[in-house]
Structures are given as structure tokens and as C-alpha cells.
Short mmCIF file of all heavy atoms in Angstrom, two decimals:
data_model
loop_
_atom_site.label_atom_id
_atom_site.label_comp_id
_atom_site.label_asym_id
_atom_site.label_seq_id
_atom_site.Cartn_x
_atom_site.Cartn_y
_atom_site.Cartn_z
N ILE A 13 0.87 -1.17 0.00
CA ILE A 13 0.00 0.00 0.00
C ILE A 13 0.91 1.22 0.00
O ILE A 13 1.72 1.41 0.91
CB ILE A 13 -0.91 0.01 1.24
CG1 ILE A 13 -1.87 -1.18 1.20
CG2 ILE A 13 -1.70 1.32 1.32
CD1 ILE A 13 -2.66 -1.38 2.49
N LYS A 14 0.81 2.03 -1.03
CA LYS A 14 1.70 3.18 -1.17
C LYS A 14 1.16 4.39 -0.40
O LYS A 14 -0.03 4.70 -0.48
CB LYS A 14 1.90 3.52 -2.64
CG LYS A 14 2.72 2.48 -3.40
CD LYS A 14 2.96 2.90 -4.83
CE LYS A 14 3.83 1.89 -5.57
NZ LYS A 14 4.07 2.31 -6.96
N VAL A 15 2.08 5.04 0.30
CA VAL A 15 1.73 6.23 1.09
C VAL A 15 2.60 7.39 0.60
O VAL A 15 3.83 7.32 0.64
CB VAL A 15 1.97 5.99 2.60
CG1 VAL A 15 1.62 7.26 3.39
CG2 VAL A 15 1.15 4.80 3.09
N GLY A 16 1.97 8.47 0.15
CA GLY A 16 2.69 9.62 -0.35
C GLY A 16 3.18 10.53 0.77
O GLY A 16 2.46 10.78 1.74
N ILE A 17 4.40 11.04 0.65
CA ILE A 17 4.97 12.01 1.58
C ILE A 17 5.37 13.24 0.78
O ILE A 17 6.31 13.21 -0.01
CB ILE A 17 6.18 11.42 2.34
CG1 ILE A 17 5.75 10.17 3.12
CG2 ILE A 17 6.77 12.46 3.29
CD1 ILE A 17 6.89 9.40 3.77
N LEU A 18 4.63 14.32 0.98
CA LEU A 18 4.73 15.52 0.14
C LEU A 18 5.24 16.70 0.98
O LEU A 18 4.48 17.57 1.40
CB LEU A 18 3.35 15.82 -0.47
CG LEU A 18 3.22 16.99 -1.45
CD1 LEU A 18 3.98 16.74 -2.73
CD2 LEU A 18 1.74 17.25 -1.75
N HIS A 19 6.53 16.71 1.24
CA HIS A 19 7.13 17.76 2.07
C HIS A 19 8.38 18.33 1.41
O HIS A 19 9.15 17.59 0.79
CB HIS A 19 7.48 17.22 3.46
CG HIS A 19 6.29 17.11 4.36
ND1 HIS A 19 5.53 18.21 4.72
CD2 HIS A 19 5.74 16.03 4.99
CE1 HIS A 19 4.55 17.81 5.53
NE2 HIS A 19 4.65 16.51 5.72
N SER A 20 8.59 19.64 1.61
CA SER A 20 9.77 20.31 1.06
C SER A 20 11.03 19.84 1.78
O SER A 20 11.16 20.01 3.00
CB SER A 20 9.64 21.83 1.20
OG SER A 20 8.59 22.32 0.40
N LEU A 21 11.95 19.27 1.02
CA LEU A 21 13.23 18.81 1.56
C LEU A 21 14.36 19.74 1.16
O LEU A 21 15.51 19.52 1.51
CB LEU A 21 13.51 17.37 1.09
CG LEU A 21 12.34 16.37 1.28
CD1 LEU A 21 12.72 15.01 0.77
CD2 LEU A 21 11.91 16.32 2.74
N SER A 22 14.01 20.78 0.42
CA SER A 22 14.95 21.82 0.02
C SER A 22 14.19 23.14 -0.08
O SER A 22 12.97 23.17 -0.08
CB SER A 22 15.63 21.47 -1.32
OG SER A 22 14.65 21.27 -2.33
N GLY A 23 14.92 24.25 -0.14
CA GLY A 23 14.28 25.55 -0.21
C GLY A 23 13.98 26.12 1.17
O GLY A 23 14.35 25.55 2.20
N THR A 24 13.25 27.23 1.20
CA THR A 24 13.06 28.00 2.42
C THR A 24 12.29 27.26 3.51
O THR A 24 12.44 27.56 4.69
CB THR A 24 12.35 29.34 2.09
OG1 THR A 24 12.27 30.13 3.27
CG2 THR A 24 10.93 29.12 1.59
N MET A 25 11.45 26.28 3.15
CA MET A 25 10.65 25.55 4.14
C MET A 25 11.28 24.24 4.60
O MET A 25 10.72 23.56 5.46
CB MET A 25 9.25 25.28 3.59
CG MET A 25 8.36 26.50 3.47
SD MET A 25 8.22 27.44 5.02
CE MET A 25 7.56 26.20 6.13
N ALA A 26 12.44 23.89 4.06
CA ALA A 26 13.09 22.62 4.43
C ALA A 26 13.41 22.57 5.92
O ALA A 26 13.38 21.49 6.53
CB ALA A 26 14.35 22.41 3.60
N ILE A 27 13.70 23.72 6.54
CA ILE A 27 14.02 23.79 7.96
C ILE A 27 12.91 23.16 8.81
O ILE A 27 13.18 22.56 9.84
CB ILE A 27 14.27 25.27 8.38
CG1 ILE A 27 14.69 25.36 9.85
CG2 ILE A 27 13.02 26.12 8.16
CD1 ILE A 27 15.08 26.79 10.29
N SER A 28 11.69 23.28 8.36
CA SER A 28 10.55 22.75 9.10
C SER A 28 10.06 21.39 8.57
O SER A 28 9.70 20.50 9.34
CB SER A 28 9.39 23.75 9.06
OG SER A 28 9.76 24.99 9.63
N GLU A 29 10.05 21.24 7.25
CA GLU A 29 9.35 20.11 6.65
C GLU A 29 10.13 18.81 6.59
O GLU A 29 9.55 17.73 6.54
CB GLU A 29 8.84 20.48 5.25
CG GLU A 29 7.76 21.55 5.27
CD GLU A 29 7.04 21.70 3.95
OE1 GLU A 29 6.39 20.76 3.49
OE2 GLU A 29 7.14 22.79 3.35
N THR A 30 11.47 18.89 6.58
CA THR A 30 12.27 17.66 6.50
C THR A 30 11.95 16.72 7.67
O THR A 30 11.87 15.50 7.50
CB THR A 30 13.77 18.00 6.47
OG1 THR A 30 14.03 18.82 5.33
CG2 THR A 30 14.61 16.75 6.39
N THR A 31 11.75 17.30 8.84
CA THR A 31 11.41 16.51 10.02
C THR A 31 10.11 15.74 9.83
O THR A 31 9.97 14.61 10.31
CB THR A 31 11.33 17.41 11.26
OG1 THR A 31 12.64 17.89 11.55
CG2 THR A 31 10.80 16.67 12.47
N LEU A 32 9.15 16.35 9.12
CA LEU A 32 7.87 15.68 8.92
C LEU A 32 8.00 14.48 7.97
O LEU A 32 7.32 13.48 8.13
CB LEU A 32 6.83 16.67 8.39
CG LEU A 32 6.50 17.83 9.34
CD1 LEU A 32 5.26 18.57 8.86
CD2 LEU A 32 6.29 17.33 10.75
N LYS A 33 8.90 14.59 7.01
CA LYS A 33 9.21 13.42 6.16
C LYS A 33 9.78 12.31 7.01
O LYS A 33 9.40 11.14 6.90
CB LYS A 33 10.18 13.86 5.05
CG LYS A 33 10.66 12.71 4.16
CD LYS A 33 11.98 12.09 4.61
CE LYS A 33 13.13 13.07 4.51
NZ LYS A 33 14.43 12.43 4.90
N ASP A 34 10.71 12.68 7.91
CA ASP A 34 11.38 11.68 8.76
C ASP A 34 10.39 10.98 9.69
O ASP A 34 10.45 9.76 9.87
CB ASP A 34 12.50 12.32 9.57
CG ASP A 34 13.67 12.77 8.72
OD1 ASP A 34 13.81 12.27 7.58
OD2 ASP A 34 14.46 13.63 9.18
N VAL A 35 9.47 11.74 10.29
CA VAL A 35 8.53 11.13 11.22
C VAL A 35 7.56 10.20 10.48
O VAL A 35 7.17 9.16 11.02
CB VAL A 35 7.78 12.17 12.08
CG1 VAL A 35 6.62 12.83 11.33
CG2 VAL A 35 7.25 11.52 13.35
N MET A 36 7.21 10.56 9.25
CA MET A 36 6.35 9.67 8.46
C MET A 36 7.06 8.35 8.16
O MET A 36 6.44 7.27 8.22
CB MET A 36 5.90 10.35 7.17
CG MET A 36 4.81 11.38 7.34
SD MET A 36 3.34 10.76 8.23
CE MET A 36 2.91 9.32 7.20
N LEU A 37 8.34 8.42 7.85
CA LEU A 37 9.10 7.19 7.61
C LEU A 37 9.14 6.34 8.87
O LEU A 37 9.05 5.11 8.80
CB LEU A 37 10.52 7.53 7.13
CG LEU A 37 10.63 8.19 5.75
CD1 LEU A 37 12.09 8.53 5.43
CD2 LEU A 37 10.04 7.31 4.66
N MET A 38 9.27 7.00 10.03
CA MET A 38 9.26 6.26 11.30
C MET A 38 7.92 5.58 11.54
O MET A 38 7.86 4.40 11.91
CB MET A 38 9.58 7.22 12.45
CG MET A 38 9.59 6.53 13.81
SD MET A 38 9.77 7.68 15.20
CE MET A 38 8.04 8.16 15.46
N LEU A 39 6.83 6.30 11.32
CA LEU A 39 5.49 5.75 11.57
C LEU A 39 5.19 4.58 10.62
O LEU A 39 4.61 3.57 11.03
CB LEU A 39 4.44 6.85 11.39
CG LEU A 39 4.48 7.97 12.45
CD1 LEU A 39 3.62 9.15 12.00
CD2 LEU A 39 4.03 7.47 13.81
N ILE A 40 5.60 4.73 9.37
CA ILE A 40 5.38 3.65 8.39
C ILE A 40 6.22 2.43 8.75
O ILE A 40 5.74 1.29 8.70
CB ILE A 40 5.71 4.17 6.97
CG1 ILE A 40 4.62 5.15 6.51
CG2 ILE A 40 5.84 3.01 5.97
CD1 ILE A 40 4.97 5.92 5.25
N ASP A 41 7.47 2.67 9.14
CA ASP A 41 8.35 1.56 9.56
C ASP A 41 7.76 0.83 10.75
O ASP A 41 7.75 -0.41 10.80
CB ASP A 41 9.74 2.13 9.90
CG ASP A 41 10.73 1.06 10.32
OD1 ASP A 41 11.06 0.22 9.48
OD2 ASP A 41 11.16 1.06 11.50
N GLU A 42 7.25 1.59 11.71
CA GLU A 42 6.65 1.01 12.91
C GLU A 42 5.42 0.17 12.56
O GLU A 42 5.23 -0.93 13.08
CB GLU A 42 6.27 2.14 13.86
CG GLU A 42 5.89 1.69 15.26
CD GLU A 42 5.52 2.85 16.16
OE1 GLU A 42 5.32 3.97 15.66
OE2 GLU A 42 5.43 2.64 17.36
N GLN A 43 4.58 0.69 11.66
CA GLN A 43 3.38 -0.04 11.25
C GLN A 43 3.75 -1.32 10.52
O GLN A 43 3.11 -2.37 10.71
CB GLN A 43 2.50 0.84 10.36
CG GLN A 43 1.14 0.24 10.02
CD GLN A 43 0.23 0.07 11.22
OE1 GLN A 43 0.28 0.86 12.17
NE2 GLN A 43 -0.62 -0.95 11.19
N ASN A 44 4.78 -1.25 9.70
CA ASN A 44 5.23 -2.46 8.98
C ASN A 44 5.75 -3.53 9.94
O ASN A 44 5.56 -4.73 9.72
CB ASN A 44 6.30 -2.10 7.95
CG ASN A 44 5.69 -1.50 6.68
OD1 ASN A 44 4.52 -1.73 6.37
ND2 ASN A 44 6.49 -0.72 5.95
N LYS A 45 6.40 -3.11 11.02
CA LYS A 45 6.87 -4.07 12.03
C LYS A 45 5.70 -4.74 12.74
O LYS A 45 5.85 -5.84 13.29
CB LYS A 45 7.79 -3.36 13.03
CG LYS A 45 9.17 -3.04 12.45
CD LYS A 45 10.01 -2.24 13.42
CE LYS A 45 11.39 -1.95 12.83
NZ LYS A 45 12.17 -1.01 13.69
N LYS A 46 4.56 -4.05 12.77
CA LYS A 46 3.35 -4.63 13.37
C LYS A 46 2.62 -5.57 12.39
O LYS A 46 1.59 -6.14 12.73
CB LYS A 46 2.38 -3.52 13.78
CG LYS A 46 2.87 -2.62 14.90
CD LYS A 46 1.84 -1.52 15.14
CE LYS A 46 2.29 -0.49 16.15
NZ LYS A 46 1.33 0.65 16.25
N GLY A 47 3.13 -5.69 11.17
CA GLY A 47 2.48 -6.55 10.18
C GLY A 47 1.86 -5.80 9.02
O GLY A 47 1.18 -6.38 8.18
N GLY A 48 2.07 -4.48 8.98
CA GLY A 48 1.53 -3.68 7.88
C GLY A 48 0.07 -3.33 8.08
O GLY A 48 -0.41 -3.19 9.20
#
């Protein structure tokens, strides 16, 4: 099941948004460890 992550990783908003990409990867990883 594909989950889109749409956050600025460069440019003026990267200071805030990169962290949100990282937390989504953490949450998805955690869910996959539970069996998806």
C-alpha cells in the first residue's frame, strides 16, 4: 500500500518540513513491524 509524503526537503521551508518526512518514515516503519 503506497503512502505519499509531500514535504519540502529543500528551499526556504526545508528547515521545518524535512522533520515531517522523517517522522512519516518512522510511523510507516513502525506499522510495517506490526504486520503492515
Side-chain angles (χ1 to χ4, degrees):
I13 295 171
K14 290 183 177 180
V15 179
I17 301 173
L18 184 66
H19 282 299
S20 294
L21 311 179
S22 57
T24 185
M25 289 307 301
I27 184 175
S28 300
E29 294 193 63
T30 300
T31 292
L32 298 192
K33 175 267 295 182
D34 291 340
V35 80
M36 284 307 305
L37 293 178
M38 180 187 85
L39 293 167
I40 288 169
D41 181 66
E42 191 180 14
Q43 187 66 32
N44 281 336
K45 285 175 180 173
K46 294 177 185 174

